[in-house]
Amino acid sequence: MSCYTELLISPKNFNNRNIASAVITMEYVPEVLLTGTVYNNRCEAVEGAVVRVIAVASLTKKDLGYVMTNQFGEFAIVVEKNPQINYQFDIYEPVLTS
């Protein structure tokens, strides 16, 4: 993603309070982070599954690439934020190597 903001909260921000609040302002970004988790039929997270991401707009499809799930079955990919595009995920089981 092209826009990034970092916020540091030091102990002085709490000053005898249990809650600290902050205002964060970011520029508009034409991208969005899509995340998901892959589970097997026993509701267990699947590590190493391959997720193919495809952008679908009207009658066209564009292959955006592949990502793999981490040890918790989670994956993430940055895509264009566009109300005219749907995203298709094809999930493939992990490839086992010895």
Side-chain angles (χ1 to χ4, degrees):
M1 298 179 91
S2 59
C3 187
Y4 170 80
T5 299
E6 182 176 288
L7 174 67
L8 297 175
I9 298 177
S10 68
K12 71 178 183 176
N13 294 109
F14 289 100
N15 289 337
N16 298 321
R17 293 182 282 171
N18 292 331
I19 299 173
S21 63
V23 175
I24 301 171
T25 304
M26 294 181 67
E27 296 176 31
Y28 170 77
V29 201
E31 300 168 328
V32 64
L33 179 66
L34 296 179
T35 62
T37 306
V38 176
Y39 296 98
N40 62 18
N41 58 0
R42 295 183 304 275
C43 295
E44 301 166 332
V46 178
E47 178 180 3
V50 176
V51 180
R52 178 181 178 199
V53 183
I54 302 167
V56 181
S58 54
L59 299 175
T60 62
K61 288 187 174 186
K62 180 180 178 185
D63 194 342
L64 299 180
Y66 297 83
V67 294
M68 291 182 66
T69 58
N70 64 12
Q71 65 188 12
F72 306 109
E74 303 165 332
F75 68 91
I77 186 168
V78 175
V79 296
E80 178 184 357
K81 185 191 308 185
N82 184 330
Q84 307 302 317
I85 298 176
N86 293 309
Y87 292 97
Q88 174 182 324
F89 298 99
D90 295 339
I91 313 296
Y92 301 93
E93 55 186 279
V95 178
L96 302 176
T97 59
S98 53

